[in-house]
Amino acid sequence: MRRAALTGLLLTFATLAPLAHAQTTELWRLGGFVGPESVARDPATGKFYVSSFGKDPMSKDDDGVLSIITADGQIEKMDWLTGLDAPKGLDIAGGKIFVTDIDRLLEIDIASAQVINSYTTDGVQFLNDVAIGPDGKVYVSDTFASAVYVLEGGTLSLFAQDKLLAGANGLFVQDGALLVADLGDISGGFDKVTPGPVVKIDLATKAMTAYGAEGPVGVLDGVEPDGAGGLLLTDNPAGTVLSLQPGGTASVIATVGAGAADLEVDPDTGLILVPITPANEIVALKRN
């Protein structure tokens, strides 16, 4: 997929205005980023880390950064880690951040703010989101390859590849399964994208089933548990946050602005943080 196509997806709807929604309250908006794509909470410290890919989500140009922000909408450190190319999805466990950077998965030591390992493998096209399982395995989506890779024992290898994973994007590990939020079929270009579903992959058997009702859910980016047995998702071009229960149909709980990317939900407070990539800001929500 060409670089211009991805950039177009993120920037086409940048001028659309966000709308209020009765199911959520917007707490704050924090700007100053350049291409924010993902937010992850460190369970050990409660700090939130933001990945920003810079000017171009596909260029190896060293302008990608990781930032630290607070739950009340302050920037603790904008340039916590610099010199990355185009970091996107990230997850945190055991004092380490795992973040995708185009065609590689980086392992970062939080205490030293240093990249300590870089992983890739044959066939990688466009690594996107990251999810760490309770056993320490690290799952990585490849949006262009309709695939998921797994890092285990220091080796990155193919875990699953299927047409059901077309545009594989957001990931989350839950109850022995990997949940995959599909961007959708992008083979015809982002202007003709076919919305995708949420796919549930059994980690033991690799069997794939639909998480919600059969059929597409949206042009999906992030996925997180809602703390009440369901999921929260972002539809990127629509700029919405969706609620989805197992076997159910998704409903809109907030409209935050087109380009809504890889969200984070604080399990302790219910705070929802959503990067709005074209607007270069993070939006904080609370469910009513």
Side-chain angles (χ1 to χ4, degrees):
M1 193 62 59
R2 294 180 305 150
R3 176 187 307 167
L6 179 63
T7 304
L9 172 69
L10 297 171
L11 300 180
T12 298
F13 303 99
T15 58
L16 295 183
L19 303 174
H21 200 285
Q23 288 186 263
T24 57
T25 298
E26 183 174 314
L27 303 179
W28 47 261
R29 287 184 178 241
L30 178 63
F33 306 92
V34 182
E37 206 283 330
S38 184
V39 181
R41 176 181 177 270
D42 182 352
T45 64
K47 291 184 178 182
F48 294 93
Y49 291 78
V50 178
S51 64
S52 297
F53 57 67
K55 295 179 181 178
D56 191 326
M58 294 292 288
S59 286
K60 295 187 176 184
D61 50 15
D62 299 325
D63 70 347
V65 303
L66 298 186
S67 309
I68 302 175
I69 64 173
T70 63
D72 59 354
Q74 304 297 315
I75 296 173
E76 181 172 313
K77 193 166 187 179
M78 180 62 80
D79 297 328
W80 178 74
L81 183 63
T82 62
L84 306 181
D85 289 320
K88 299 176 185 70
L90 66 163
D91 202 2
I92 304 172
K96 305 293 192 298
I97 297 176
F98 290 86
V99 59
T100 60
D101 199 9
I102 305 178
D103 58 0
R104 57 184 181 161
L105 174 68
L106 303 179
E107 181 180 0
I108 297 164
D109 178 66
I110 293 176
S112 63
Q114 296 290 323
V115 176
I116 57 175
N117 282 302
S118 177
Y119 309 94
T120 191
T121 191
D122 292 341
V124 164
Q125 296 185 40
F126 182 68
L127 300 181
N128 202 331
D129 199 21
V130 180
I132 304 172
D135 58 0
K137 293 180 183 178
V138 182
Y139 298 90
V140 189
S141 60
D142 190 326
T143 302
F144 290 177
S146 301
V148 175
Y149 290 85
V150 61
L151 177 68
E152 183 180 8
T155 299
L156 188 68
S157 60
L158 183 66
F159 176 75
Q161 189 170 38
D162 194 276
K163 64 181 181 180
L164 291 175
L165 303 177
N169 200 341
L171 301 177
F172 190 79
V173 178
Q174 185 179 63
D175 298 331
L178 179 67
L179 303 178
V180 185
D182 284 350
L183 194 69
D185 185 356
I186 54 177
S187 60
F190 283 107
D191 57 334
K192 299 180 179 65
V193 62
T194 301
V198 178
V199 178
K200 182 178 180 180
I201 306 177
D202 186 287
L203 291 177
T205 67
K206 298 187 182 180
M208 299 184 194
T209 55
Y211 176 89
E214 293 291 338
V217 175
V219 182
L220 302 177
D221 199 312
V223 56
E224 288 290 323
D226 65 1
L231 300 177
L232 295 181
L233 307 151
T234 46
D235 185 311
N236 187 289
T240 52
V241 179
L242 308 175
S243 175
L244 180 65
Q245 295 294 318
T249 301
S251 60
V252 176
I253 65 166
T255 301
V256 293
D262 187 14
L263 80 168
E264 176 68 302
V265 179
D266 187 332
D268 296 331
T269 67
L271 183 70
I272 305 167
L273 299 182
V274 187
I276 312 298
T277 304
N280 293 319
E281 62 187 12
I282 307 295
V283 177
L285 305 169
K286 189 88 171 184
R287 296 192 77 166
N288 296 332

